[in-house]
């Protein structure tokens, strides 16, 4: 019997000036299945799925929905044919209520007036179907990212989507939120909805999908049945070579005699009495659950928030940076967690972004030394494998993961003494992660100090010399290298009750 597909992308090709993003890629989605789409940063995943809504118009190829053939889609056609997409950077309106967001573009009207009550009532129904509980009157911006995403899913389902495409939906979520999102996705599958799921986290792919399609460099590579696949095999298909190690070796360096940063009873920005030290040559991991105060602590050190009391000592001197600029000038860099808001200048080139913090240093009488400028960005483009035709490419035209690499490069280029990394590999593919870990190791080998916030337990354990654990704004544990393990970190991460007086 011929297999029934609800969606078929056939020989999709997409060319941009200087880049062939997709080279005749085919993808077939069966009814009621979860198909994972995986590949390295810049492989073409987002571009491929955007052809389903017309956000990207293919240079050639065909799109079949329930057997009907289209050479290109439009948002209207997609919605008429039951296709909904949740984008990597989803688009909701923070100033509107949840209900208004759910009905964005097609509000319920009574005559010519928008019927808020009816929309709210219907929102409640829609959430009920997904077993979630969200107040439809709440402003969208007041919801956690997890709930915002649930609203996006509810919106898709409410529009009667039978194909739901999710582009890295888990990247901004806490592990608890990921669990509830999985429940909703499984519920939808049981109702016959077909799902395309994109993620760099292979454990999610194994937990959720029925089949896995791998693409590499814009080319179709293979499709596997999930239960017959294994991690090593997937990594090899994605990166095109064997990768046996995830964490590069670093010589055990234990001479942490020189302190770079000391926090003494630092309070403010939601944290209390924070004490820890980061040494020259050390990667200090900062662990804890989301909301524990890790980013908040980083902001205090970086001058992005003001402390109310306590002392921050940097290279032996007390500092009180009033702004990130001040912090950068004294030798502190920070790669922010929320890269969309604080990260890159999207409308300018890779070259410009990477060199931004050092223009003063590499200029003489306002003339930039372009050789240094270019050499610098060439170096990072190569080391981090930033995928772009050249350094003049605008950052907004890069894939999500490659934008992050540019931001990381920018912070490293500043050549700071202390580098704070907030979730440095979120949204980054396995191969590039390895390169970033090598860069972190090089930094500390060259006498820098690194403070690394990570919610990925393995990364925290794999990269840190010591780990400080926070919970609800307090330091709950400090683990030396030989004590660092997942159980202990988890224990301290949830150990608040005993600490609070
Ligand atoms: N508007 C554009 N102009 C030029 N090149 C583009 C444009 N949009 C995408 N590209 C290029 O197409 C390629 C595929 O990008 P895409 O965003 O699909 O990757 P991805 O697989 O989703 O990666 P990630 O995992 O990082 O999100 C990249 O090389 C990207 O730079
Ligand atoms: Mg993408």
């Amino acid at each position: 019997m011929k297999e029934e597909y609800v969606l078929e992308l056939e020989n999709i090709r997409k060319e941009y000036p200087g880049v062939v993003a997709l080279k005749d890629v085919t993808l077939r989605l069966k009814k009621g299945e979860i198909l994972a789409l995986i590949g390295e940063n810049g492989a073409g995943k987002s571009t491929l799925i955007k052809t389903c809504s017309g956000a990207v118009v293919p240079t050639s190829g065909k799109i079949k929905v329930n057997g009907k053939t289209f050479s290109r889609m439009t948002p209207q056609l997609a919605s008429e044919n039951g296709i909904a997409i949740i984008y990597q950077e989803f688009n909701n309106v923070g100033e509107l209520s949840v209900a208004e967001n759910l009905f964005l573009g097609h509000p319920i009207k009574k005559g010519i007036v928008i019927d808020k009550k009816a929309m709210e009532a219907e929102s409640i129904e829609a959430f009920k179907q997904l077993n979630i509980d969200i107040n439809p009157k709440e402003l969208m911006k007041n919801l956690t990212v997890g709930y915002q995403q649930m609203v996006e899913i509810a919106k898709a389902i409410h529009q009667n989507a039978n194909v739901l495409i999710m582009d890295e939906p888990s990247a901004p979520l806490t592990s608890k939120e990921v669990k509830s999102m999985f429940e909703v996705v499984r519920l939808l599958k049981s109702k016959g909805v077909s799902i395309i799921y994109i993620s760099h986290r292979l454990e999610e792919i194994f937990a959720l999908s029925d089949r896995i399609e791998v693409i590499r460099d814009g080319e179709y590579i293979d499709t596997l049945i999930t239960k017959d696949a294994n991690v090593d095999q997937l990594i090899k298909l994605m990166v095109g070579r064997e990768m046996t190690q995830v964490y590069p070796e670093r010589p055990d360096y234990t001479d942490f005699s020189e302190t770079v940063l000391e926090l003494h009873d630092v309070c403010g920005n939601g944290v209390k009495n924070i004490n820890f030290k980061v040494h020259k040559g050390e990667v200090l991991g900062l662990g804890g659950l989301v909301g524990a105060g890790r980013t908040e602590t980083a902001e205090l050190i970086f001058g992005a928030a003001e402390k109310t009391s306590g002392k921050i000592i940097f290279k032996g001197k007390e500092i009180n940076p009033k702004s990130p600029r001040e912090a950068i000038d004294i030798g502190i860099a920070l790669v922010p967690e929320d890269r969309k808001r604080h990260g890159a200048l999207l409308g300018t080139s890779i070259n410009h972004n990477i060199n931004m913090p050092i223009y003063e240093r590499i200029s003489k009488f306002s003339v930039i030394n372009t050789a240094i400028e270019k050499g610098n960005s060439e170096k990072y483009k190569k080391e981090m494998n930033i995928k772009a035709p050249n350094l003049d490419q605008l950052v907004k035209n890069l894939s999500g993961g490659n934008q992050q690499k540019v931001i990381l490069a920018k912070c490293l280029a500043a050549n700071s003494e202390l580098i704070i990394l907030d979730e440095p590999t979120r949204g980054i593919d396995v191969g590039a992660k390895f390169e970033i870990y090598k860069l972190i190791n090089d930094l500390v080998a060259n006498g820098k100090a690194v403070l690394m916030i990570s919610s990925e337990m393995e990364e925290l354990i794999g990269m840190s010399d010591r780990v400080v654990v926070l919970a609800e704004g307090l330091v709950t544990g400090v683990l030396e290298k030989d004590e660092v393990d997942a159980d202990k970190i988890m224990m301290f991460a949830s150990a608040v009750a005993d600490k609070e007086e």
Side-chain angles (χ1 to χ4, degrees):
M1 202 183 83
K2 202 170 159 277
E3 191 77 59
E4 292 271 327
Y5 295 108
V6 285
L7 175 71
E8 292 164 85
L9 304 175
E10 283 182 0
N11 301 314
I12 302 287
R13 185 175 178 85
K14 179 64 191 176
E15 294 173 8
Y16 289 108
V19 189
V20 184
L22 296 170
K23 299 164 200 158
D24 304 321
V25 176
T26 292
L27 176 149
R28 297 200 165 88
L29 181 65
K30 296 179 195 171
K31 184 171 169 53
E33 78 164 341
I34 302 178
L35 174 71
L37 178 61
I38 65 171
E40 290 183 293
N41 298 128
K45 304 178 295 294
S46 298
T47 307
L48 183 65
I49 58 111
K50 280 181 186 164
T51 62
C52 300
S53 68
V56 164
V57 177
T59 309
S60 61
K62 286 198 170 62
I63 300 162
K64 275 195 203 165
V65 191
N66 294 313
K68 254 198 290 181
T69 305
F70 302 87
S71 60
R72 61 171 293 185
M73 296 297 283
T74 61
Q76 171 92 22
L77 278 176
S79 131
E80 281 168 13
N81 286 280
I83 300 174
I85 306 185
I86 298 177
Y87 293 105
Q88 199 162 1
E89 263 107 45
F90 47 76
N91 298 312
N92 53 50
V93 188
E95 299 302 326
L96 292 181
S97 75
V98 166
E100 284 164 324
N101 269 281
L102 202 72
F103 287 91
L104 206 63
H106 47 95
I108 303 179
K109 288 185 183 168
K110 213 166 46 213
I112 54 160
V113 193
I114 290 180
D115 190 347
K116 264 197 182 175
K117 280 245 154 52
M119 296 198 316
E120 283 164 11
E122 234 181 89
S123 301
I124 292 178
E125 264 324 296
F127 294 141
K128 220 187 248 166
Q129 276 186 33
L130 299 176
N131 293 329
I132 47 181
D133 185 16
I134 300 174
N135 178 0
K137 291 196 174 112
E138 190 63 71
L139 285 189
M140 198 69 174
K141 65 171 185 199
N142 293 340
L143 300 188
T144 63
V145 186
Y147 277 116
Q148 289 186 15
Q149 197 148 50
M150 293 299 180
V151 175
E152 293 284 314
I153 298 178
K155 189 163 135 192
I157 298 316
H158 187 257
Q159 290 165 20
N160 278 325
N162 47 43
V163 172
L164 177 64
I165 303 173
M166 308 173 85
D167 196 353
E168 293 194 42
S170 62
L173 303 188
T174 67
S175 49
K176 213 168 128 205
E177 288 170 334
V178 172
K179 267 198 197 126
S180 1
M181 190 239 329
F182 274 22
E183 275 170 34
V184 172
V185 171
R186 290 197 181 104
L187 182 72
L188 291 174
K189 173 184 147 100
S190 75
K191 292 183 176 177
V193 177
S194 311
I195 291 148
I196 298 177
Y197 187 90
I198 299 176
S199 175
H200 287 292
R201 301 187 187 154
L202 296 181
E203 69 277 10
E204 293 180 358
I205 303 295
F206 282 102
L208 203 59
S209 71
D210 301 300
R211 295 191 306 142
I212 305 166
E213 169 156 340
V214 186
I215 60 175
R216 184 170 73 229
D217 279 337
E219 286 182 73
Y220 172 85
I221 299 295
D222 205 352
T223 307
L224 310 165
I225 310 273
T226 308
K227 64 173 169 28
D228 301 333
N230 64 60
V231 176
D232 291 341
Q233 183 187 16
L234 288 185
I235 292 181
K236 192 173 170 205
L237 289 173
M238 277 197 292
V239 305
R241 64 191 148 86
E242 210 84 54
M243 255 191 73
T244 44
Q245 264 177 294
V246 184
Y247 298 97
E249 295 287 338
R250 173 146 56 98
D252 258 337
Y253 179 73
T254 43
D255 172 31
F256 297 138
S257 51
E258 203 173 314
T259 307
V260 174
L261 178 81
E262 291 170 63
L263 268 63
H264 293 284
D265 288 321
V266 170
C267 298
N269 203 24
V271 301
K272 279 170 282 177
N273 301 325
I274 304 289
N275 289 290
F276 63 74
K277 285 183 187 173
V278 193
H279 304 95
K280 189 174 167 171
E282 177 180 46
V283 177
L284 180 74
L286 207 48
L289 304 174
V290 171
R294 296 168 303 170
T295 297
E296 289 73 8
T297 304
E299 285 170 348
L300 290 173
I301 302 167
F302 193 56
E306 218 172 317
K307 64 177 164 52
T308 48
S309 62
K311 264 189 196 163
I312 300 174
I313 296 173
F314 180 64
K315 295 197 291 183
K317 274 201 223 115
E318 184 172 356
I319 57 161
N320 282 301
K322 291 279 173 290
S323 68
R325 182 73 253 172
E326 236 178 84
I328 292 168
D329 288 342
I330 56 177
I332 300 174
L334 177 129
V335 178
E337 176 185 28
D338 186 349
R339 298 175 180 108
K340 205 181 158 196
R341 262 195 296 155
H342 309 290
L345 286 178
L346 295 173
T348 63
S349 69
I350 300 176
N351 195 26
H352 183 80
N353 268 277
I354 293 181
N355 288 294
M356 215 149 42
I358 55 166
Y359 274 126
E360 230 165 89
R361 231 178 285 159
I362 62 172
S363 309
K364 215 173 189 174
F365 308 118
S366 298
V367 180
I368 296 164
N369 183 332
T370 47
I372 302 182
E373 183 193 24
K374 204 146 179 261
N376 196 29
S377 25
E378 281 291 0
K379 167 174 168 254
Y380 286 109
K381 180 171 184 285
K382 187 157 160 274
E383 280 180 3
M384 285 189 198
N385 193 14
I386 297 173
K387 218 176 151 251
N390 55 56
L391 293 169
D392 297 323
Q393 181 69 292
L394 302 183
V395 172
K396 70 173 178 207
N397 290 340
L398 301 182
S399 79
N402 283 298
Q403 291 184 358
Q404 298 199 11
K405 292 184 205 168
V406 171
I407 295 164
L408 196 63
K410 173 185 125 184
C411 291
L412 298 184
N415 197 23
S416 309
E417 294 301 308
L418 172 71
I419 298 109
I420 308 173
L421 304 168
D422 198 350
E423 308 285 1
T425 64
R426 186 174 277 175
I428 301 252
D429 71 58
V430 271
K433 263 186 177 179
F434 190 81
E435 300 306 319
I436 288 174
Y437 294 147
K438 276 209 297 212
L439 279 171
I440 295 176
N441 284 351
D442 285 350
L443 287 174
V444 290
N446 288 315
K448 309 286 186 196
V450 171
L451 178 62
M452 183 187 77
I453 299 174
S454 176
S455 294
E456 265 186 65
M457 189 61 87
E458 272 189 40
E459 175 171 282
L460 201 60
I461 297 170
M463 288 302 296
S464 308
D465 291 301
R466 295 182 306 132
V467 174
V468 168
V469 186
L470 302 191
E472 295 192 20
L474 299 166
V475 173
T476 49
V478 181
L479 298 166
E480 299 299 322
K481 179 94 193 170
D482 49 358
E483 301 174 319
V484 173
D485 78 54
D487 290 343
K488 286 208 187 91
I489 295 175
M490 275 321 287
M491 188 186 79
F492 286 126
S494 38
V496 188
D498 354 328
K499 272 256 165 178
E500 213 141 16
E501 306 82 310

